[in-house]
């Protein structure tokens, strides 16, 4: 079993007209995540193959957004950068902040890698979100679904 506690960064970039009529919009969000994976480590050559699967639980803590031009929502100019917030209800958003979605995220995780000399390792990780992060508005469920998906590479050294 491989439990962990991680501070991770995720995000997206939207090119073309989209959020607030901006033509280049970028969001970076931060999460505290707790993945727990079950591992299988068969001997392979001079090291061990690492295969694993499990789940994760994450909580959004904030982030930043920026745009190549000032963002215009309706007839209000809100600038070209700001904070990212997480809320369960979009009605409770804050002026100038980008509401990413609900803060609680969970899903499944998979990993594959190789460990050499019982010291060094490389891992390829993937997380597929199962939680619908789409917020409600005044308690009314909104259309659509929003889920996180991520891919990462990690290098490790055992002391």
């Amino acid at each position: 079993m491989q439990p962990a506690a991680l501070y991770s960064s995720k995000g997206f970039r939207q090119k073309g007209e989209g959020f607030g009529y901006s033509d280049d919009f970028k969001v970076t969000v931060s999460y505290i995540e707790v993945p727990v994976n079950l591992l299988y480590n068969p001997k392979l050559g001079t090291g061990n193959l690492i295969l694993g699967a499990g789940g994760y639980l994450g909580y959004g803590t904030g982030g930043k957004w920026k745009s190549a031009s000032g963002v215009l929502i309706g007839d209000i100019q809100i600038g070209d950068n700001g904070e990212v917030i997480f809320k369960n209800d979009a009605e409770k958003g804050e002026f100038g902040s980008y509401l990413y979605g609900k803060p609680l995220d969970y899903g499944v995780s998979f990993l594959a890698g190789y460990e050499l000399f019982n010291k060094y390792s490389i891992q390829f990780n993937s997380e597929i979100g199962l939680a619908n992060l789409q917020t409600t508005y005044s308690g009314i469920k909104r259309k659509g679904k929003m889920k996180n998906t991520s891919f990462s590479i990690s290098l490790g050294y055992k002391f």
Side-chain angles (χ1 to χ4, degrees):
M1 184 153 56
Q2 182 188 52
L6 307 171
Y7 178 77
S8 66
S9 181
K10 301 178 183 188
F12 70 89
R13 179 179 222 154
Q14 180 177 321
K15 289 191 175 252
E17 194 171 296
F19 175 75
Y21 305 104
S22 172
D23 59 357
D24 189 4
F25 185 71
K26 182 178 178 183
V27 173
T28 305
V29 293
S30 300
Y31 278 88
I32 293 178
E33 293 182 338
V34 178
V36 177
N37 292 298
L38 295 176
L39 299 181
Y40 176 61
N41 293 358
K43 187 88 171 142
L44 181 67
T46 58
N48 294 313
L49 187 62
I50 305 169
L51 299 172
Y56 75 92
L57 181 65
Y59 193 83
T61 60
K64 302 273 185 197
W65 68 268
K66 67 180 178 177
S67 175
S69 58
V71 173
L72 184 66
I73 299 177
D75 59 352
I76 300 172
Q77 179 89 18
I78 64 168
D80 61 1
N81 66 73
E83 299 292 318
V84 173
I85 59 173
F86 292 86
K87 300 278 184 182
N88 288 315
D89 193 321
E91 185 180 43
K92 297 180 174 118
E94 299 167 12
F95 183 76
S97 295
Y98 176 74
L99 177 59
Y100 184 76
K102 294 179 182 177
L104 185 63
D105 187 22
Y106 57 86
V108 295
S109 57
F110 303 96
L111 63 94
Y114 191 75
E115 184 178 62
L116 191 61
F117 307 123
N118 264 349
K119 287 261 185 223
Y120 306 100
S121 66
I122 183 167
Q123 271 184 204
F124 299 92
N125 310 289
S126 179
E127 292 180 340
I128 301 167
L130 298 176
N132 183 4
L133 303 177
Q134 184 70 271
T135 60
T136 59
Y137 190 84
S138 294
I140 299 169
K141 189 174 180 180
R142 300 166 80 184
K143 292 182 181 179
K145 290 187 178 185
M146 185 174 118
K147 297 181 179 187
N148 281 330
T149 301
S150 66
F151 175 78
S152 62
I153 299 172
S154 51
L155 301 173
Y157 176 80
K158 286 185 183 176
F159 292 98

